[in-house]
Amino acid sequence: MLESLTNVLPHFRNTNSGQFFLMAGPCVIEGEDMALRIAEKVKHITDKLQIPYIFKGSYRKANRSRIDSFTGIGDETALRILQKVSQEIGVPTVTDIHESEEAAFAAEYVDVLQIPAFLCRQTDLLIAAAKTGKVVNIKKGQFLSGEAMQFAVDKVRQSGNPHVILTDRGNSFGYSDLVVDFRNLPAMRSFDVPVVMDVTHSLQRPNQASGVTGGQPALIETIAKAAIAVGADGLFIETHPTPATAKSDGANMLALDQLEALLTKLTRIRQALQDEGSIAPIST
């Protein structure tokens, strides 16, 4: 198991290479072979482009539209796969938790605990995550402004954990759409935390009549480019070898074979910004 990211978080804060970092992987852990294959492929790409990489995979999906939606292969089974990814591929891992009692359990296996957007105001959940000492990645609620996330950050910090990341995933627009307000990224960065753009979830089309969330994956490159241009410290991208067969969120995923070309374009944008001095590091 890799040591907690709390000892290496400055590496993910644009203070050294100036590069953005990447959280990427499948929406949910579907099995060991697939998780290792995705992690190995993404690690190969990010090593080549010198992008710090955190493998993402949910060990269980709690927020489903329908009772027959896929939720996971078993909590401990999936968490052990995340642990194996960390050990064999040599990357940190992140997974989401949904209730306070899950925090300590999941923290035994992963490096970063993620708070889902709909749960970002849940005080007990934030405190429980903070108490593990792990890095806490809080997704901004679809119903909140970037400025309102100050209070979520405060809950973690005032619980004795200074290691916080904030992630934007768009704002609700009507009943069945999301829009991205890029003002939220500098607003959240003003709290002296790394900020991430969740590119793929921000392109969801939720609350479809079928009970299966839709998406607009053709716009992944557009949102990612804009986020880097605005100064995001990191990107969150769900990817899968065959999104059409993914057991969760396939409608808004990036096909794995398209990831390298996208990241190559994004590193060029980041380099251009760095060359003109537009990337200001946050303190560590």
Side-chain angles (χ1 to χ4, degrees):
M1 181 72 178
L2 292 179
E3 65 180 356
S4 172
L5 271 179
T6 55
N7 295 324
V8 293
L9 188 61
H11 184 50
F12 295 87
R13 289 188 162 193
N14 291 330
T15 56
N16 296 320
S17 69
Q19 187 58 280
F20 61 89
F21 64 91
L22 177 70
M23 296 183 181
C27 178
V28 62
I29 299 298
E30 300 177 9
E32 182 178 307
D33 289 345
M34 181 174 288
L36 288 169
R37 179 155 55 104
I38 293 172
E40 184 176 27
K41 176 66 173 177
V42 180
K43 179 68 158 52
H44 173 75
I45 295 168
T46 53
D47 280 353
K48 184 161 83 170
L49 297 174
Q50 298 184 320
I51 297 171
Y53 173 46
I54 306 171
F55 176 81
K56 181 272 168 184
S58 297
Y59 73 91
R60 171 161 46 90
K61 301 302 294 183
N63 179 16
R64 302 287 85 190
S65 296
R66 302 189 330 199
I67 196 169
D68 61 348
S69 297
F70 179 78
T71 58
I73 59 175
D75 292 357
E76 189 166 2
T77 299
L79 284 166
R80 288 192 182 279
I81 290 172
L82 284 161
Q83 186 179 52
K84 188 168 185 177
V85 167
S86 181
Q87 293 170 336
E88 293 198 3
I89 308 301
V91 294
T93 55
V94 56
T95 199
D96 37 336
I97 58 173
H98 317 91
E99 299 183 34
S100 302
E101 56 266 28
E102 296 177 33
F105 175 52
E108 296 179 14
Y109 299 91
V110 300
D111 302 281
V112 182
L113 296 178
Q114 182 167 285
I115 308 300
F118 281 129
L119 302 178
C120 68
R121 285 171 51 92
Q122 296 299 103
T123 301
D124 289 347
L125 181 60
L126 289 165
I127 292 173
K131 293 295 186 183
T132 67
K134 299 289 183 174
V135 177
V136 181
N137 178 35
I138 313 171
K139 285 198 171 182
K140 184 189 74 63
Q142 299 93 321
F143 45 88
L144 291 175
S145 67
E147 289 83 356
M149 291 302 291
Q150 173 72 70
F151 306 108
V153 172
D154 289 345
K155 289 175 184 179
V156 175
R157 285 176 169 165
Q158 291 169 15
S159 298
N161 187 339
H163 307 297
V164 187
I165 297 171
L166 289 179
T167 295
D168 190 7
R169 48 124 338 128
N171 281 76
S172 295
F173 185 73
Y175 292 114
S176 301
D177 203 0
L178 295 166
V179 295
V180 177
D181 180 352
F182 285 101
R183 295 176 299 177
N184 286 324
L185 296 181
M188 295 192 300
R189 206 168 188 260
S190 70
F191 309 143
D192 197 29
V193 298
V195 296
V196 175
M197 185 72 233
D198 182 344
V199 178
T200 48
H201 282 113
S202 69
L203 291 168
Q204 284 183 332
R205 302 295 298 275
N207 305 320
Q208 300 299 299
S210 64
V212 178
T213 296
Q216 297 176 294
L219 292 174
I220 287 173
E221 183 172 322
T222 299
I223 298 297
K225 284 179 174 178
I228 293 300
V230 170
D233 298 290
L235 296 177
F236 181 109
I237 297 175
E238 288 189 338
T239 185
H240 193 281
T242 54
T245 66
K247 294 183 182 295
S248 178
D249 282 1
N252 53 270
M253 278 186 176
L254 180 71
L256 186 58
D257 63 7
Q258 297 176 17
L259 182 63
E260 183 171 357
L262 173 63
L263 292 178
T264 300
K265 293 176 183 178
L266 298 176
T267 58
R268 291 172 183 156
I269 296 173
R270 172 66 75 178
Q271 186 61 54
L273 292 170
Q274 193 174 357
D275 289 346
E276 70 173 27
S278 296
I279 302 297
I282 58 181
S283 66
T284 58

